[in-house]
Amino acid sequence: MIQTAPITTVMRALADPTRRAVFEQIVLSKEITVVELTRASTVTQGAVSQHLKALKQAGLVAERPEGRNVYYRAEPEGLAPLVDWMSHYGTFWRERFADLRTLLKEIDP
């Protein structure tokens, strides 16, 4: 069954448009630093760091320190709770559409 805590964390992390843009930038890069993310963004480095913290807590990004830099990369497994949730409701709607199709055929053969 669906676990609400991980889903809620992932959805909250991706609900913010700026955070989503940061996540998308990370996904498009193999690895990227905060400095590079800040250059590509319209927010401050502190704000980018806060967004990265939320993404990391949601399991959507991982970090790799190297010297004075920290490199961030996307963690596709972090999206699993969201994918599971969407799959669950996808099944729900497919069944409802099949029922509707049957009903419509009965009404108008």
Side-chain angles (χ1 to χ4, degrees):
M1 191 61 186
I2 298 173
Q3 298 175 356
T4 55
I7 294 166
T8 302
T9 304
V10 172
M11 286 185 168
R12 282 187 181 153
L14 295 175
D16 183 277
T18 303
R19 191 172 300 131
R20 215 171 29 252
V22 168
F23 180 66
E24 289 172 10
Q25 187 67 35
I26 295 168
V27 168
L28 294 173
S29 306
K30 182 177 178 181
E31 286 188 321
I32 192 166
T33 65
V34 175
V35 173
E36 294 169 315
L37 286 166
T38 303
R39 285 187 196 136
S41 179
T42 58
V43 297
T44 66
Q45 184 170 341
V48 169
S49 293
Q50 288 298 314
H51 288 304
L52 287 168
K53 180 180 177 183
L55 292 169
K56 185 178 171 190
Q57 288 175 338
L60 297 170
V61 298
E63 60 184 19
R64 178 182 63 83
E66 185 177 295
R68 296 179 69 187
N69 293 315
V70 177
Y71 291 87
Y72 290 87
R73 68 183 177 281
E75 287 291 331
E77 305 85 36
L79 291 170
L82 184 58
V83 171
D84 292 344
W85 183 83
M86 290 174 22
S87 296
H88 173 76
Y89 285 99
T91 301
F92 170 82
W93 285 110
R94 278 191 293 280
E95 290 172 4
R96 297 309 179 270
F97 286 131
D99 292 345
L100 178 60
R101 188 177 304 116
T102 302
L103 178 64
L104 291 173
K105 285 181 182 178
E106 290 173 5
I107 292 172
D108 188 19

